[in-house]
Amino acid sequence: CAVGILDVDLCGPSIPRMLCVKKTEVHQCDAGWVPVYADPKQQLAIMSIGFLLEDSNEAVIWRGPKKTALIGQFVSDVAWGELDVLLVDTPPGTSDEHLSVLENLRKHRVDGAVLVTTPQAVSTGDVRREITFCKKTALKILGIVENMSGFVCPHCSECSNIFSKGGGEELAKLTGSVFLGSVPLDPHLTATLEEGQDFLQAFPESSTYTAISQIVNTLLSSLDA
């Protein structure tokens, strides 16, 4: 399965660090920019503004038109090759980045959006507005994921609800959306992301692994349907 990840969180590009490819340069070919590959078999292609910054601490202070132009380049001028899935990671909210991605991808088949919330009402309120955005732009909602849903103790593996639980599922019911599942706070997951390691290979027996796998399988099944 060939997957592309397009990171359009222009002011906070985190994908390169999470996949341990943050010091890689982008090269040109006849077809455009060559994406950065996170694996030797070149099955996971990535493009992010993080690869274009000389200093990782540099702030991206751009107005809307410049953001729109770069996102257009990311979609049309990157030599993605044949992909089975293109995953677009956007910042929170309903800003220029979201509109630009939709406008540039309209000529392709857009399957829909996966919305991520935490259990608290402050977060579900923000995601409710994102649902409104999807409906106004005729973007299908593939489902809602509840992140930080409880805390998994690294010693006994017991899950405690530090914040609350069920906000994402309740939001899905209220808005008629599919609830894809919950992902708990897991120190092991945090550590592997910080270090650019593969959590699924490192902790295949964890409850977090099971939760993520179920969400992915449900999502892929809906795309194949």
Side-chain angles (χ1 to χ4, degrees), residues 27-210:
H27 301 284
Q28 291 269 358
C29 69
D30 292 340
W33 285 336
V34 179
V36 173
Y37 291 95
D39 64 313
K41 294 183 179 180
Q42 297 191 346
Q43 293 294 296
L44 181 58
I46 307 161
M47 181 51 68
S48 169
I49 194 176
F51 300 136
L52 308 178
L53 300 175
E54 294 184 3
D55 182 356
S56 60
N57 295 319
E58 182 179 346
V60 178
I61 308 173
W62 290 357
R63 295 189 185 276
K66 197 168 183 179
K67 290 182 179 181
T68 300
L70 181 62
I71 291 172
Q73 283 186 282
F74 278 170
V75 173
S76 61
D77 296 344
V78 174
W80 291 106
E82 292 295 325
L83 295 177
D84 296 300
V85 177
L86 176 63
L87 173 66
V88 183
D89 179 38
T90 66
T94 54
S95 57
D96 290 327
E97 289 88 339
H98 304 80
L99 287 171
S100 298
V101 167
L102 277 180
E103 289 170 359
N104 283 282
L105 287 177
R106 285 298 187 192
K107 56 187 174 183
H108 306 283
R109 190 188 77 181
V110 179
D111 291 297
V114 176
L115 306 180
V116 181
T117 184
T118 56
Q120 306 96 312
V122 171
S123 179
T124 57
D126 289 339
V127 174
R128 190 189 296 267
R129 285 183 281 274
E130 292 172 2
I131 292 173
T132 302
F133 171 89
C134 291
K135 291 180 178 179
K136 285 186 175 181
T137 56
L139 178 63
K140 181 181 178 181
I141 299 172
L142 298 176
I144 295 175
V145 175
E146 182 175 294
N147 195 18
M148 301 184 185
S149 183
F151 170 75
V152 175
C153 175
H155 304 292
C156 67
S157 298
E158 182 179 346
C159 187
S160 303
N161 295 324
I162 294 178
F163 302 117
S164 60
K165 187 174 178 64
E169 187 170 8
E170 182 64 23
L171 177 62
K173 291 178 180 177
L174 289 174
T175 58
S177 307
V178 175
F179 182 65
L180 294 172
S182 303
V183 179
L185 277 167
D186 189 329
H188 293 309
L189 176 59
T190 303
T192 52
L193 290 176
E194 288 284 327
E195 298 165 8
Q197 298 177 358
D198 189 334
F199 172 79
L200 301 183
Q201 286 188 353
F203 300 98
E205 304 298 326
S206 71
S207 59
T208 305
Y209 173 97
T210 302

